[in-house]
Tab-separated table of all heavy atoms in Angstrom:
chain	number	residue	atom	x	y	z
A	220	LEU	N	-49.597	165.993	171.521
A	220	LEU	CA	-48.330	165.862	170.814
A	220	LEU	C	-47.207	165.707	171.697
A	220	LEU	O	-46.228	164.939	171.457
A	220	LEU	CB	-48.115	167.096	169.921
A	220	LEU	CG	-48.911	167.159	168.597
A	220	LEU	CD1	-48.745	168.477	167.891
A	220	LEU	CD2	-48.437	166.048	167.621
A	221	ASN	N	-47.212	166.420	172.932
A	221	ASN	CA	-46.159	166.248	173.876
A	221	ASN	C	-46.152	164.774	174.351
A	221	ASN	O	-45.001	164.255	174.602
A	221	ASN	CB	-46.423	167.185	175.022
A	221	ASN	CG	-45.381	167.007	176.177
A	221	ASN	OD1	-44.183	167.202	175.991
A	221	ASN	ND2	-45.885	166.494	177.293
A	222	MET	N	-47.327	164.223	174.548
A	222	MET	CA	-47.343	162.794	174.989
A	222	MET	C	-46.703	161.915	173.908
A	222	MET	O	-46.032	160.923	174.268
A	222	MET	CB	-48.789	162.379	175.224
A	222	MET	CG	-49.422	163.055	176.464
A	222	MET	SD	-51.121	162.478	176.707
A	222	MET	CE	-50.877	160.737	177.090
A	223	TRP	N	-46.900	162.303	172.676
A	223	TRP	CA	-46.277	161.474	171.593
A	223	TRP	C	-44.785	161.678	171.626
A	223	TRP	O	-44.005	160.715	171.579
A	223	TRP	CB	-46.917	161.921	170.253
A	223	TRP	CG	-46.222	161.362	169.054
A	223	TRP	CD1	-45.776	160.094	168.933
A	223	TRP	CD2	-45.885	162.036	167.812
A	223	TRP	NE1	-45.126	159.907	167.666
A	223	TRP	CE2	-45.232	161.088	166.966
A	223	TRP	CE3	-46.090	163.327	167.391
A	223	TRP	CZ2	-44.853	161.437	165.685
A	223	TRP	CZ3	-45.701	163.688	166.094
A	223	TRP	CH2	-45.044	162.776	165.243
A	224	TYR	N	-44.341	162.968	171.752
A	224	TYR	CA	-42.903	163.303	171.764
A	224	TYR	C	-42.234	162.482	172.904
A	224	TYR	O	-40.999	161.988	172.718
A	224	TYR	CB	-42.651	164.724	172.000
A	224	TYR	CG	-43.122	165.658	170.887
A	224	TYR	CD1	-43.523	166.984	171.162
A	224	TYR	CD2	-43.219	165.224	169.578
A	224	TYR	CE1	-43.962	167.821	170.163
A	224	TYR	CE2	-43.664	166.065	168.575
A	224	TYR	CZ	-44.055	167.302	168.883
A	224	TYR	OH	-44.488	168.187	167.917
A	225	GLU	N	-42.813	162.369	173.986
A	225	GLU	CA	-42.216	161.648	175.190
A	225	GLU	C	-42.572	160.247	175.260
A	225	GLU	O	-42.300	159.540	176.248
A	225	GLU	CB	-42.637	162.415	176.509
A	225	GLU	CG	-42.212	163.795	176.562
A	225	GLU	CD	-42.284	164.413	177.967
A	225	GLU	OE1	-42.445	163.620	178.904
A	225	GLU	OE2	-42.185	165.660	178.085
A	226	HIS	N	-43.130	159.630	174.171
A	226	HIS	CA	-43.505	158.231	174.090
A	226	HIS	C	-44.407	157.778	175.146
A	226	HIS	O	-44.374	156.647	175.566
A	226	HIS	CB	-42.161	157.395	174.104
A	226	HIS	CG	-41.221	157.742	173.062
A	226	HIS	ND1	-39.842	157.455	173.065
A	226	HIS	CD2	-41.325	158.489	171.866
A	226	HIS	CE1	-39.267	157.870	172.008
A	226	HIS	NE2	-40.131	158.482	171.282
A	227	ILE	N	-45.286	158.631	175.612
A	227	ILE	CA	-46.231	158.272	176.640
A	227	ILE	C	-47.255	157.267	176.201
A	227	ILE	O	-47.639	156.295	176.910
A	227	ILE	CB	-46.929	159.529	177.235
A	227	ILE	CG1	-45.892	160.536	177.807
A	227	ILE	CG2	-47.880	159.101	178.411
A	227	ILE	CD1	-44.974	159.985	178.866
A	228	PHE	N	-47.752	157.528	174.993
A	228	PHE	CA	-48.750	156.578	174.462
A	228	PHE	C	-48.174	155.115	174.438
A	228	PHE	O	-48.878	154.151	174.710
A	228	PHE	CB	-49.225	156.962	173.064
A	228	PHE	CG	-50.069	158.161	173.099
A	228	PHE	CD1	-49.722	159.342	172.370
A	228	PHE	CD2	-51.294	158.283	173.793
A	228	PHE	CE1	-50.408	160.548	172.367
A	228	PHE	CE2	-52.056	159.471	173.755
A	228	PHE	CZ	-51.626	160.540	173.084
A	229	ASN	N	-46.883	155.081	174.033
A	229	ASN	CA	-46.281	153.703	173.956
A	229	ASN	C	-46.188	153.079	175.290
A	229	ASN	O	-46.366	151.815	175.443
A	229	ASN	CB	-44.955	153.924	173.286
A	229	ASN	CG	-44.922	154.727	172.025
A	229	ASN	OD1	-44.927	155.937	172.125
A	229	ASN	ND2	-44.949	154.122	170.919
A	230	GLN	N	-45.929	153.833	176.319
A	230	GLN	CA	-45.754	153.322	177.642
A	230	GLN	C	-47.093	152.885	178.238
A	230	GLN	O	-47.191	151.905	178.970
A	230	GLN	CB	-45.165	154.407	178.572
A	230	GLN	CG	-43.774	154.837	178.204
A	230	GLN	CD	-43.324	155.978	178.981
A	230	GLN	OE1	-43.667	156.209	180.186
A	230	GLN	NE2	-42.478	156.838	178.427
A	231	LEU	N	-48.210	153.565	177.852
A	231	LEU	CA	-49.489	153.296	178.322
A	231	LEU	C	-50.231	152.127	177.602
A	231	LEU	O	-51.234	151.565	178.113
A	231	LEU	CB	-50.454	154.502	178.234
A	231	LEU	CG	-49.978	155.753	179.077
A	231	LEU	CD1	-50.910	156.911	178.762
A	231	LEU	CD2	-50.077	155.390	180.523
A	232	GLY	N	-49.691	151.693	176.475
A	232	GLY	CA	-50.322	150.747	175.583
A	232	GLY	C	-50.428	149.334	176.328
A	232	GLY	O	-49.634	149.014	177.124
A	233	SER	N	-51.403	148.600	175.934
A	233	SER	CA	-51.576	147.267	176.535
A	233	SER	C	-50.507	146.352	176.031
A	233	SER	O	-49.938	146.471	174.974
A	233	SER	CB	-52.945	146.731	176.250
A	233	SER	OG	-53.138	146.671	174.750
A	234	VAL	N	-50.218	145.328	176.761
A	234	VAL	CA	-49.199	144.319	176.424
A	234	VAL	C	-49.813	143.309	175.275
A	234	VAL	O	-50.887	142.920	175.468
A	234	VAL	CB	-48.747	143.505	177.666
A	234	VAL	CG1	-47.751	142.487	177.188
A	234	VAL	CG2	-48.142	144.503	178.635
A	235	GLY	N	-49.105	143.162	174.272
A	235	GLY	CA	-49.525	142.211	173.320
A	235	GLY	C	-48.725	142.367	172.019
A	235	GLY	O	-47.850	143.113	171.930
A	236	VAL	N	-49.121	141.514	171.014
A	236	VAL	CA	-48.431	141.550	169.730
A	236	VAL	C	-48.561	142.993	169.116
A	236	VAL	O	-47.564	143.563	168.590
A	236	VAL	CB	-48.903	140.477	168.837
A	236	VAL	CG1	-48.190	140.537	167.431
A	236	VAL	CG2	-48.671	139.109	169.424
A	237	ARG	N	-49.754	143.555	169.183
A	237	ARG	CA	-50.017	144.888	168.707
A	237	ARG	C	-50.667	145.687	169.790
A	237	ARG	O	-51.836	145.673	170.030
A	237	ARG	CB	-50.996	144.858	167.459
A	237	ARG	CG	-50.380	144.175	166.234
A	237	ARG	CD	-51.377	144.173	165.152
A	237	ARG	NE	-51.843	145.477	164.752
A	237	ARG	CZ	-51.219	146.267	163.887
A	237	ARG	NH1	-50.098	145.898	163.347
A	237	ARG	NH2	-51.726	147.453	163.578
A	238	SER	N	-49.817	146.250	170.606
A	238	SER	CA	-50.210	147.021	171.785
A	238	SER	C	-51.096	148.169	171.308
A	238	SER	O	-50.919	148.765	170.231
A	238	SER	CB	-49.129	147.473	172.615
A	238	SER	OG	-48.230	148.312	171.842
A	239	ASN	N	-52.075	148.587	172.114
A	239	ASN	CA	-52.970	149.701	171.645
A	239	ASN	C	-53.722	150.237	172.876
A	239	ASN	O	-53.663	149.754	174.059
A	239	ASN	CB	-54.052	149.101	170.746
A	239	ASN	CG	-54.945	148.123	171.425
A	239	ASN	OD1	-55.957	148.473	171.980
A	239	ASN	ND2	-54.625	146.839	171.377
A	240	LEU	N	-54.278	151.464	172.601
A	240	LEU	CA	-55.253	152.100	173.577
A	240	LEU	C	-56.536	152.240	172.903
A	240	LEU	O	-56.566	152.599	171.693
A	240	LEU	CB	-54.678	153.459	173.998
A	240	LEU	CG	-53.329	153.460	174.809
A	240	LEU	CD1	-52.948	154.977	174.956
A	240	LEU	CD2	-53.568	152.856	176.143
A	241	ASN	N	-57.614	152.002	173.578
A	241	ASN	CA	-58.955	152.122	173.004
A	241	ASN	C	-59.572	153.496	173.351
A	241	ASN	O	-58.960	154.330	174.041
A	241	ASN	CB	-59.852	150.965	173.361
A	241	ASN	CG	-60.100	150.897	174.847
A	241	ASN	OD1	-60.099	151.917	175.551
A	241	ASN	ND2	-60.177	149.687	175.409
A	242	LYS	N	-60.756	153.739	172.833
A	242	LYS	CA	-61.472	154.984	173.102
A	242	LYS	C	-61.611	155.303	174.569
A	242	LYS	O	-61.413	156.411	175.028
A	242	LYS	CB	-62.781	155.066	172.389
A	242	LYS	CG	-63.633	156.332	172.561
A	242	LYS	CD	-64.898	156.199	171.788
A	242	LYS	CE	-65.881	155.207	172.434
A	242	LYS	NZ	-67.154	155.175	171.709
A	243	GLU	N	-62.037	154.298	175.349
A	243	GLU	CA	-62.189	154.536	176.832
A	243	GLU	C	-60.922	154.875	177.460
A	243	GLU	O	-60.816	155.725	178.359
A	243	GLU	CB	-62.854	153.296	177.335
A	243	GLU	CG	-64.292	153.071	177.013
A	243	GLU	CD	-64.528	152.731	175.592
A	243	GLU	OE1	-63.580	152.011	174.994
A	243	GLU	OE2	-65.592	153.001	175.028
A	244	ASP	N	-59.863	154.176	177.050
A	244	ASP	CA	-58.545	154.505	177.680
A	244	ASP	C	-58.153	156.002	177.423
A	244	ASP	O	-57.667	156.675	178.386
A	244	ASP	CB	-57.423	153.663	177.032
A	244	ASP	CG	-57.552	152.188	177.330
A	244	ASP	OD1	-58.005	151.803	178.373
A	244	ASP	OD2	-57.222	151.361	176.444
A	245	LEU	N	-58.407	156.490	176.224
A	245	LEU	CA	-58.042	157.871	175.807
A	245	LEU	C	-58.953	158.786	176.630
A	245	LEU	O	-58.419	159.849	177.197
A	245	LEU	CB	-58.310	158.019	174.340
A	245	LEU	CG	-58.013	159.404	173.798
A	245	LEU	CD1	-56.615	159.825	174.071
A	245	LEU	CD2	-58.333	159.418	172.335
A	246	LEU	N	-60.205	158.527	176.736
A	246	LEU	CA	-61.165	159.421	177.371
A	246	LEU	C	-60.876	159.525	178.894
A	246	LEU	O	-61.175	160.517	179.594
A	246	LEU	CB	-62.589	159.010	177.124
A	246	LEU	CG	-63.126	159.285	175.755
A	246	LEU	CD1	-64.478	158.579	175.547
A	246	LEU	CD2	-63.240	160.770	175.472
A	247	ASN	N	-60.309	158.543	179.483
A	247	ASN	CA	-59.923	158.454	180.862
A	247	ASN	C	-58.602	159.073	181.234
A	247	ASN	O	-58.285	159.153	182.447
A	247	ASN	CB	-60.075	157.061	181.458
A	247	ASN	CG	-61.506	156.616	181.624
A	247	ASN	OD1	-62.354	157.401	182.134
A	247	ASN	ND2	-61.858	155.422	181.182
A	248	LEU	N	-57.836	159.439	180.262
A	248	LEU	CA	-56.503	160.005	180.501
A	248	LEU	C	-56.736	161.398	181.169
A	248	LEU	O	-57.685	162.073	180.854
A	248	LEU	CB	-55.741	160.190	179.276
A	248	LEU	CG	-55.128	158.908	178.618
A	248	LEU	CD1	-54.384	159.216	177.292
A	248	LEU	CD2	-54.157	158.291	179.586
A	249	PRO	N	-55.768	161.853	181.945
A	249	PRO	CA	-55.832	163.251	182.447
A	249	PRO	C	-55.337	164.279	181.463
A	249	PRO	O	-54.481	163.942	180.603
A	249	PRO	CB	-54.884	163.117	183.707
A	249	PRO	CG	-53.909	162.195	183.325
A	249	PRO	CD	-54.621	161.103	182.479
A	250	ILE	N	-55.884	165.419	181.491
A	250	ILE	CA	-55.450	166.573	180.677
A	250	ILE	C	-55.369	167.780	181.529
A	250	ILE	O	-56.111	167.916	182.493
A	250	ILE	CB	-56.356	166.765	179.443
A	250	ILE	CG1	-55.660	167.840	178.490
A	250	ILE	CG2	-57.759	167.138	179.873
A	250	ILE	CD1	-56.450	167.961	177.172
A	251	ILE	N	-54.379	168.681	181.264
A	251	ILE	CA	-54.266	169.907	182.027
A	251	ILE	C	-54.986	170.950	181.405
A	251	ILE	O	-54.904	171.208	180.183
A	251	ILE	CB	-52.739	170.281	182.147
A	251	ILE	CG1	-51.932	169.196	182.865
A	251	ILE	CG2	-52.594	171.623	182.793
A	251	ILE	CD1	-52.445	168.933	184.208
A	252	LYS	N	-55.804	171.712	182.207
A	252	LYS	CA	-56.686	172.819	181.730
A	252	LYS	C	-56.364	174.148	182.238
A	252	LYS	O	-56.736	174.414	183.434
A	252	LYS	CB	-58.149	172.384	182.022
A	252	LYS	CG	-59.159	173.415	181.476
A	252	LYS	CD	-60.551	173.106	181.998
A	252	LYS	CE	-61.511	174.232	181.647
A	252	LYS	NZ	-62.856	174.107	182.364
A	253	PRO	N	-55.607	174.920	181.537
A	253	PRO	CA	-55.510	176.368	181.878
A	253	PRO	C	-56.789	177.117	181.535
A	253	PRO	O	-57.602	176.599	180.799
A	253	PRO	CB	-54.300	176.807	181.057
A	253	PRO	CG	-53.683	175.555	180.463
A	253	PRO	CD	-54.811	174.618	180.336
A	254	PRO	N	-56.942	178.311	181.996
A	254	PRO	CA	-57.984	179.186	181.495
A	254	PRO	C	-57.895	179.369	180.012
A	254	PRO	O	-56.846	179.249	179.402
A	254	PRO	CB	-57.795	180.530	182.216
A	254	PRO	CG	-56.995	180.164	183.462
A	254	PRO	CD	-56.123	178.992	183.037
A	255	LEU	N	-59.115	179.547	179.370
A	255	LEU	CA	-59.155	179.629	177.881
A	255	LEU	C	-58.159	180.651	177.287
A	255	LEU	O	-57.572	180.357	176.320
A	255	LEU	CB	-60.529	179.908	177.383
A	255	LEU	CG	-61.536	178.740	177.382
A	255	LEU	CD1	-62.979	179.222	177.150
A	255	LEU	CD2	-61.118	177.715	176.362
A	256	GLU	N	-58.025	181.793	177.939
A	256	GLU	CA	-57.161	182.866	177.432
A	256	GLU	C	-55.705	182.280	177.392
A	256	GLU	O	-54.967	182.575	176.402
A	256	GLU	CB	-57.168	184.064	178.344
A	256	GLU	CG	-56.322	185.189	177.835
A	256	GLU	CD	-56.284	186.388	178.784
A	256	GLU	OE1	-56.787	186.213	179.958
A	256	GLU	OE2	-55.770	187.481	178.394
A	257	GLU	N	-55.331	181.583	178.422
A	257	GLU	CA	-53.932	181.038	178.458
A	257	GLU	C	-53.820	179.877	177.468
A	257	GLU	O	-52.715	179.632	176.931
A	257	GLU	CB	-53.616	180.686	179.857
A	257	GLU	CG	-53.540	181.889	180.849
A	257	GLU	CD	-53.303	181.461	182.248
A	257	GLU	OE1	-52.553	180.524	182.542
A	257	GLU	OE2	-53.915	182.083	183.140
A	258	GLN	N	-54.815	179.098	177.262
A	258	GLN	CA	-54.762	178.077	176.277
A	258	GLN	C	-54.484	178.682	174.903
A	258	GLN	O	-53.685	178.119	174.130
A	258	GLN	CB	-56.098	177.288	176.274
A	258	GLN	CG	-56.419	176.433	177.386
A	258	GLN	CD	-57.721	175.737	177.213
A	258	GLN	OE1	-58.097	175.273	176.118
A	258	GLN	NE2	-58.563	175.653	178.288
Side-chain angles (χ1 to χ4, degrees):
L220 281 172
N221 175 66
M222 292 181 65
W223 172 41
Y224 296 152
E225 295 194 16
H226 303 162
I227 302 302
F228 291 120
N229 311 82
Q230 297 171 32
L231 296 173
S233 59
V234 177
V236 177
R237 291 178 61 83
S238 59
N239 66 88
L240 295 174
N241 59 34
K242 179 178 69 176
E243 287 70 29
D244 294 327
L245 179 60
L246 289 170
N247 284 315
L248 287 176
I250 187 171
I251 298 301
K252 180 190 174 189
L255 280 170
E256 180 185 14
E257 293 176 38
Q258 291 180 39

